Amino acid sequence: MGFCMESARIMLIIFNFIFWLSGVALLGVGIWFLVDPNIAHYLEVVNFDLEGNALKYSAYILIAFGAFIFLVGFTGCCGAIRKSKCLIGFYLMFLVIVFAGELAAGIIVAIFRSEIEDKVDKSLMKSLKTEYKFANESSITNSWDIIQKELKCCGAEGYKDYENSLYTNTTMNKIPLSCCIMENDQPKDATQCQMAVDNYYHAKGCKGGLIDWVKSHSVILIGIGCGLAGLQIIGFIFAVCLCRSFNMEEK
């Protein structure tokens, strides 16, 4: 029984070292989602006029639980080293909380991912029609310009999305420069492009690329949230085994 207890203690300490590293990973991914300017531009366009921002909320959850994991890991290590049933009990409770939080973050993003195509149409069209202005006049304009340049697209479904928009009603142009085909970082022909002449602008819409971007980035959050939640089951097993060893030793 002494060998079993020592084995459980050592395994729990090793697990908590890995657990701490997972906390660093959660913090890093969560902070990356919040501070990366490119991600911010994509999220602003995708989530314009939507009630929720699942990716951003999930990033906040990951950051919170990433920081909380340091406390949980410390509690587990102290409980294993001091052979404290009380600390191990708190450790088990904290593991359940972290498990539930990470799983919740993964589920929130998974639900949002499955509904993104239905929800994003109205959001994209409204932001183009009512909020897109001259370059650098608003944050949504800058975000659209960056996305159209990076994805080599124009509008949501295509360039005609700009018809009867705030932008076209205040200019003589049909589309903005960010829709243009570039040569050496400059429009191939700005005048022809902004008049929507074929072969001078990107004909495809941005909707497909934006949806693909959301789905690919949501996989990261889902994978980390659910993957680490599964990892914690191992720690839970080690902690339960150690508690049982304590009980057997007391007998």
Side-chain angles (χ1 to χ4, degrees):
M1 185 58 63
F3 173 76
C4 291
M5 184 178 72
E6 287 302 313
S7 297
R9 287 178 61 201
I10 292 171
M11 293 303 296
L12 188 59
I13 291 170
I14 293 173
F15 169 79
N16 276 296
F17 176 73
I18 299 172
F19 197 41
W20 273 325
L21 293 180
S22 74
V24 174
L26 286 180
L27 280 171
V29 172
I31 292 171
W32 168 52
F33 262 77
L34 295 179
V35 303
D36 188 303
N38 286 331
I39 290 178
H41 292 309
Y42 279 78
L43 289 180
E44 181 172 20
V45 169
V46 169
N47 289 285
F48 180 83
D49 200 41
L50 295 183
E51 294 180 358
N53 191 333
L55 291 179
K56 185 173 287 188
Y57 295 155
S58 295
Y60 282 124
I61 292 173
L62 292 182
I63 290 173
F65 281 97
F68 187 52
I69 279 172
F70 286 96
L71 172 62
V72 176
F74 179 76
T75 304
C77 282
C78 287
I81 293 170
R82 295 171 61 99
K83 298 183 182 180
S84 171
K85 288 175 62 177
C86 180
L87 287 176
I88 294 297
F90 277 116
Y91 175 71
L92 287 169
M93 181 182 69
F94 291 152
L95 274 184
V96 171
I97 294 172
V98 174
F99 176 87
E102 290 171 352
L103 201 58
I107 291 172
I108 288 171
V109 177
I111 294 172
F112 177 75
R113 186 174 185 265
S114 67
E115 297 177 350
I116 180 63
E117 193 163 355
D118 295 330
K119 290 184 175 181
V120 79
D121 279 335
K122 183 180 177 182
S123 175
L124 295 181
M125 290 300 296
K126 184 172 182 179
S127 65
L128 276 179
K129 293 288 189 183
T130 64
E131 296 296 324
Y132 190 94
K133 305 175 183 178
F134 291 106
N136 300 318
E137 282 197 356
S138 68
S139 61
I140 193 70
T141 300
N142 292 338
S143 294
W144 263 111
D145 284 340
I146 288 171
I147 289 169
Q148 289 179 147
K149 288 178 181 177
E150 287 187 355
L151 298 182
K152 296 181 179 179
C153 57
C154 188
E157 299 285 354
Y159 84 94
K160 290 187 177 180
D161 292 339
Y162 281 101
E163 291 180 357
N164 298 317
S165 67
L166 177 64
Y167 174 78
T168 57
N169 289 338
T170 54
T171 69
M172 297 296 292
N173 303 320
K174 291 185 177 180
I175 54 176
L177 287 173
S178 56
C179 287
C180 298
I181 294 175
M182 299 291 180
E183 290 183 350
N184 300 319
D185 295 327
Q186 295 296 324
K188 183 178 177 181
D189 187 315
T191 302
Q192 296 287 339
C193 167
Q194 291 192 295
M195 294 307 294
V197 177
D198 289 344
N199 300 319
Y200 290 97
Y201 70 96
H202 297 293
K204 71 173 183 178
C206 299
K207 175 186 169 184
L210 282 168
I211 290 174
D212 289 342
W213 180 90
V214 171
K215 289 183 175 180
S216 64
H217 281 70
S218 63
V219 167
I220 297 174
L221 293 181
I222 293 170
I224 290 178
C226 295
L228 291 179
L231 176 67
Q232 284 154 217
I233 295 175
I234 300 173
F236 190 87
I237 292 171
F238 288 149
V240 170
C241 289
L242 189 57
C243 278
R244 287 173 61 88
S245 298
F246 291 159
N247 290 335
M248 295 297 293
E249 188 179 57
E250 289 173 358
K251 293 178 180 179

